[in-house]
Amino acid sequence: MNADEIRKSLHEVLDRIPQHVRLVAVSKYHPANDIMAAYEEGQRIFGESHEQELSRKVAELPDDIEWHFIGHLQTNKVKLIAPYISMIESVDSMKLLREINKYAAKYNRVIRVLLELHVAQEETKYGFSPEDCRALLRDGEWKTLKNISICGLMAMATYTSDESLIAREFGVADALFDEIKGSHFKDDDNFRIKSWGMSHDYLIAIGHGSNMVRVGTRIFGERQY
Ligand SMILES: *Cc1c(COP(=O)(O)O)cnc(C)c1O
């Protein structure tokens, strides 16, 4: 899509989401120019899922962009993004959480993270099962990690046209969020982010509690791999 089309589709998405929902514009596989088109319209949060591509864009693009890491993150890549990453949405193991904490401490900062839930039927998707997520929180080691802040949950639904299945899966994430908020984060105002919803299902997600949607294709067009 050209810059005009990107601006137009960005506003179409923004017009459909309520005020309390934050938009992460997922820019993976789209060039820096496309990001600038959205940036010039006021968009500041962008999502990327590959460390190298992200680092290249960070060097080229304005400093006030908030970069969210949304892809599967290998522990050996944490040190590369730790200096600048605004949020890591895809934490799927205790080992990764420890590594993020270690490098956040090294760079003297607190990195905001989301725990990624696996609620979809596909086996390929990463993330904690609800039971593993509860177990991690119950275990309590995370409380000793002073340089991370767990700000909520991220989830992806099954890629399907069956809207009732998508709705059920987001419903599971939403219920788990409420449960965890009550059991571990009652007094922690940072724990408030429910990141679910992509191009084809963000409106369903918002209907099931989402307050952060991660939309790529609907804004930037098909990815150029
Ligand atoms: C690529 C990606 C998105 C955006 O997907 P679209 O269908 O292009 O909106 C959202 N979330 C995650 C985790 C992704 O990897």
Side-chain angles (χ1 to χ4, degrees):
M1 290 214 267
N2 66 34
D4 279 339
E5 290 167 328
I6 291 170
R7 282 186 204 105
K8 183 160 168 280
S9 49
L10 172 69
H11 286 294
E12 281 168 1
V13 172
L14 287 169
D15 287 347
R16 286 193 186 109
I17 65 179
Q19 277 279 316
H20 71 279
V21 176
R22 306 301 304 278
L23 172 64
V24 179
V26 176
S27 48
K28 65 189 185 203
Y29 296 107
H30 292 287
N33 278 345
D34 290 7
I35 297 176
M36 277 314 291
Y39 179 90
E40 281 160 4
E41 297 302 298
Q43 179 65 28
R44 288 295 179 273
I45 310 177
F46 292 89
E48 291 279 340
S49 53
H50 300 279
E51 176 277 319
Q52 277 196 340
E53 181 183 359
L54 173 56
S55 293
R56 208 173 359 94
K57 287 173 175 172
V58 168
E60 273 180 73
L61 287 158
D63 284 343
D64 62 342
I65 289 179
E66 294 174 39
W67 295 102
H68 284 208
F69 199 91
I70 62 171
H72 180 62
L73 181 58
Q74 291 167 289
T75 49
N76 64 352
K77 299 286 162 80
V78 170
K79 59 177 175 294
L80 302 168
I81 64 170
Y84 61 77
I85 202 74
S86 170
M87 180 177 278
I88 297 173
E89 298 201 18
S90 44
V91 171
D92 58 3
S93 72
M94 191 61 212
K95 183 174 169 225
L96 182 57
L97 203 54
R98 283 187 206 111
E99 195 74 0
I100 295 168
N101 184 67
K102 176 176 151 190
Y103 283 99
K106 183 171 168 197
Y107 291 104
N108 212 359
R109 55 186 302 240
V110 173
I111 296 181
R112 299 182 303 151
V113 304
L114 304 180
L115 301 178
E116 180 175 355
L117 280 185
H118 180 106
V119 293
Q121 289 185 340
E122 288 115 324
E123 289 183 5
T124 52
K125 296 210 166 127
Y126 294 100
F128 295 105
S129 67
E131 205 33 65
D132 288 347
C133 186
R134 288 188 189 99
L136 177 138
L137 291 168
R138 223 182 296 124
D139 168 72
E141 183 192 340
W142 60 277
K143 290 181 200 163
T144 68
L145 306 178
K146 298 302 180 196
N147 293 79
I148 52 116
S149 171
I150 300 178
C151 296
L153 303 178
M154 187 268 250
M156 264 184 278
T158 302
Y159 188 78
T160 173
S161 56
D162 180 352
E163 298 199 349
S164 66
L165 176 62
I166 295 171
R168 268 203 309 283
E169 291 172 351
F170 288 147
V172 168
D174 200 23
L176 190 68
F177 179 94
D178 288 345
E179 177 193 318
I180 288 172
K181 178 79 188 165
S183 53
H184 297 285
F185 295 97
K186 217 176 295 162
D187 304 316
D188 183 351
D189 290 337
N190 293 317
F191 190 88
R192 62 190 155 74
I193 295 181
K194 299 184 254 187
S195 176
W196 42 89
M198 310 173 29
S199 287
H200 65 285
D201 59 14
Y202 71 96
L203 293 175
I204 304 173
I206 292 167
H208 290 83
S210 169
N211 55 19
M212 181 171 278
V213 292
R214 307 176 310 271
V215 178
T217 313
R218 188 59 63 94
I219 297 170
F220 296 108
E222 293 300 324
R223 287 181 273 278
Q224 296 131 33
Y225 296 106

